[in-house]
Amino acid sequence: MEFEKYMELLQKYKELCSGEIERRKLYDFQINILDEIVALENLVRENEAKIKEQKGRKANYRQEIIEISNSINLMKDNIFHLKGDIIRVKEIMDALTYTLFSKFDLKNLGFGENTGYISGKKGLEKELEVLEELLTNGKIAILNDLTNCIKCGDITEKSDDRINLIEVKTSNGKNYRIIRQENKRKEIMNYLHNDNIDNFYGKHFKRLYVEKQENYLVDLNDMIDCAITENIVIEKMEDGLYYSVMFRPEKKDMEKLQDIKREVKKPICFNLNVFKNSKDLTNNPFLNFFDDVIDYWNFVIGDLIILVIVDLAVLEERFKNEEMEVKLINEGIWKLAVEFNNNGSVDEIKVSEHYFNRIARDFLSLEYYINTIITVVKKIREM
């Protein structure tokens, strides 16, 4: 994919979200994304056809065998990079999706089978008709196949500030696959609208709501601006929480990180550049955290490095003040255990690694993060 084209799509996304989103522009932007995905898929198909052609060639000499093998490997490499480009284009739509809809709803939609090629998909024309009609009528809606993060339904619509998943029917027939998809859609919709899951890791699960998130995104972007000229910027955001932003750092810049080590008693370091390659589709895309698309690109290619350091000792003390004990654990998906007294007996809740990582991944206030867990414990005590 051409760099200029990619940057153009990024810039169009930022412009689209700079104010109240116009429905016509929202449709046109999705068509831009669709056109780029289709173009990339066609290139993948061309390389796949060439591989098939090369495999059908008869080689009489060793040199011919080597040439055919090299040619096939080259085209496989092309396909690998083209598929990576498709993911990156869809990541722009992921960012738009997380801007339009609640991330607390979206995080439940990233599980499922990967969709195949969208180009040539039966029913695509009908889906686009339904999408355009929804937007023309003033609704907010997106085509799910343009995203990485939604793997259920054909169209996602905002209805009374909640998500509505739409399956666009192109025939009256029903096979096992269609029935399975419809059952999955109903199950997800039931959870999103009622906040309950009957079987979550074998237990009943109820979703609790907490206060609006508090984060340091404004401060982060200010630090990025400074790091472009100063190479490294280190800030204490609050007790137990530090950010370091580096732009093409040299060895002497890295040595400044020792200042944090001297102050932090029990450091836990998150390198945000590691998270950017995660296949976890249940997080707000990094694109939404950067004010400038150039800064985002520098982060993608590794020129911009962001570290978040948490002092576990501060968490321990804060929970101790609430008569709770927090422990760092490593038990499958669980990362923290919080013990507390509940009506005379010791009870425990566990915090997943995914949720623990959100301190860094979403640039959250540590105090806010601690309070969300304390709020959950208090609700349990009230039950």
Side-chain angles (χ1 to χ4, degrees):
M1 181 181 180
E2 295 179 2
F3 173 74
E4 291 77 11
K5 181 63 178 177
Y6 180 65
M7 296 303 291
E8 180 185 337
L9 288 173
L10 290 177
Q11 196 59 50
K12 281 184 177 180
Y13 163 67
K14 288 294 186 181
E15 291 170 1
L16 177 67
C17 299
S18 61
E20 184 176 350
I21 294 180
E22 297 180 30
R23 304 306 191 264
R24 185 70 231 179
K25 288 184 178 180
L26 177 55
Y27 179 79
D28 291 341
F29 180 74
Q30 292 185 69
I31 295 300
N32 290 156
I33 294 289
L34 175 61
D35 289 344
E36 190 59 36
I37 292 173
V38 169
L40 291 166
E41 286 180 350
N42 287 337
L43 290 174
V44 171
R45 284 194 178 97
E46 287 178 16
N47 279 272
E48 288 174 338
K50 289 178 180 177
I51 289 175
K52 187 175 180 180
E53 180 184 322
Q54 289 294 320
K55 286 183 175 179
R57 282 179 56 188
K58 289 185 178 181
N60 298 317
Y61 302 100
R62 176 176 173 78
Q63 186 60 35
E64 286 182 294
I65 294 174
I66 293 173
E67 289 174 1
I68 291 172
S69 177
N70 289 342
S71 177
I72 290 173
N73 288 336
L74 177 61
M75 285 177 281
K76 284 182 177 179
D77 191 54
N78 290 341
I79 290 172
F80 174 81
H81 290 292
L82 287 166
K83 287 184 175 180
D85 288 342
I86 292 171
I87 290 172
R88 274 184 285 278
V89 173
K90 287 187 175 185
E91 282 175 349
I92 302 175
M93 273 301 297
D94 291 342
L96 175 60
T97 303
Y98 270 81
T99 299
L100 297 175
F101 305 103
S102 165
K103 73 176 184 178
F104 298 108
D105 288 340
L106 288 171
K107 64 186 290 187
N108 305 285
L109 307 180
F111 305 98
E113 302 170 1
N114 288 322
T115 57
Y117 293 135
I118 190 171
S119 50
K121 176 187 175 183
K122 182 181 178 181
L124 176 60
E125 186 175 344
K126 180 65 176 177
E127 290 175 18
L128 289 173
E129 286 178 13
V130 174
L131 176 68
E132 187 170 19
E133 182 180 352
L134 287 167
L135 293 170
T136 301
N137 291 331
K139 298 284 189 178
I140 290 287
I142 61 154
L143 193 65
N144 295 348
D145 279 345
L146 301 181
T147 74
N148 298 302
C149 65
I150 301 182
K151 297 184 180 295
C152 181
D154 298 315
I155 292 173
T156 299
E157 169 203 15
K158 180 180 281 189
S159 179
D160 297 327
D161 289 327
R162 301 302 292 267
I163 277 179
N164 184 35
L165 295 172
I166 298 173
E167 289 280 358
V168 178
K169 295 182 179 179
T170 55
S171 68
N172 294 324
K174 280 195 173 183
N175 56 34
Y176 173 74
R177 177 173 167 272
I178 293 173
I179 294 171
R180 179 166 50 85
Q181 288 177 337
E182 179 61 17
N183 289 338
K184 179 184 176 184
R185 187 190 71 83
K186 288 179 179 178
E187 182 181 337
I188 292 174
M189 292 303 300
N190 178 62
Y191 167 62
L192 295 180
H193 291 177
N194 300 313
D195 301 320
N196 285 279
I197 298 178
D198 291 329
N199 187 6
F200 181 77
Y201 289 94
K203 297 181 180 180
H204 180 78
F205 176 85
K206 180 174 178 60
R207 179 163 59 165
L208 300 177
Y209 289 89
V210 294
E211 299 174 1
K212 185 178 179 181
Q213 286 191 349
E214 298 173 17
N215 59 52
Y216 287 106
L217 291 180
V218 173
D219 305 79
L220 173 70
N221 281 277
D222 288 343
M223 291 177 69
I224 290 171
D225 291 340
C226 292
I228 299 300
T229 56
E230 299 176 17
N231 294 102
I232 182 170
V233 179
I234 299 172
E235 293 285 349
K236 180 178 179 179
M237 316 310 291
E238 60 183 75
D239 284 346
L241 182 66
Y242 302 79
Y243 286 4
S244 172
V245 179
M246 297 172 277
F247 181 69
R248 298 173 183 169
E250 300 176 2
K251 185 177 180 180
K252 61 181 178 62
D253 299 316
M254 301 293 288
E255 291 172 355
K256 295 179 181 178
L257 293 173
Q258 299 300 319
D259 296 338
I260 298 178
K261 287 186 176 181
R262 283 189 284 269
E263 188 170 342
V264 177
K265 295 178 181 177
K266 296 182 178 180
I268 302 173
C269 184
F270 299 89
N271 183 341
L272 273 295
N273 296 68
V274 173
F275 289 105
K276 71 188 177 188
N277 296 318
S278 170
K279 298 188 187 309
D280 187 347
L281 303 176
T282 61
N283 285 303
N284 194 345
F286 279 112
L287 175 57
N288 284 338
F289 299 144
F290 293 85
D291 292 341
D292 193 314
V293 296
I294 298 297
D295 292 338
Y296 171 69
W297 178 248
N298 283 328
F299 175 74
V300 169
I301 63 176
D303 282 351
L304 188 69
I305 301 170
I306 303 175
L307 304 180
V308 173
I309 297 94
V310 173
D311 191 346
L312 181 61
V314 171
L315 270 80
E316 292 172 338
E317 185 64 26
R318 183 70 174 81
F319 281 107
K320 184 179 179 181
N321 293 339
E322 298 289 336
E323 298 181 343
M324 304 175 193
E325 183 180 1
V326 63
K327 297 177 182 177
L328 198 64
I329 61 175
N330 187 17
E331 299 177 7
I333 67 169
W334 309 111
K335 193 66 177 179
L336 287 181
V338 180
E339 292 184 355
F340 56 95
N341 187 287
N342 188 18
N343 296 322
S345 62
V346 177
D347 210 340
E348 178 187 73
I349 64 169
K350 291 181 179 179
V351 178
S352 69
E353 184 174 16
H354 171 85
Y355 190 71
F356 182 63
N357 289 343
R358 282 182 55 199
I359 300 172
R361 183 62 179 71
D362 289 354
F363 302 97
L364 296 178
S365 156
L366 186 61
E367 181 65 17
Y368 160 82
Y369 183 85
I370 293 170
N371 283 334
T372 62
I373 298 176
I374 291 173
T375 298
V376 171
V377 171
K378 287 180 177 178
K379 286 182 180 292
I380 293 172
R381 282 172 169 168
E382 293 169 0
M383 292 171 65

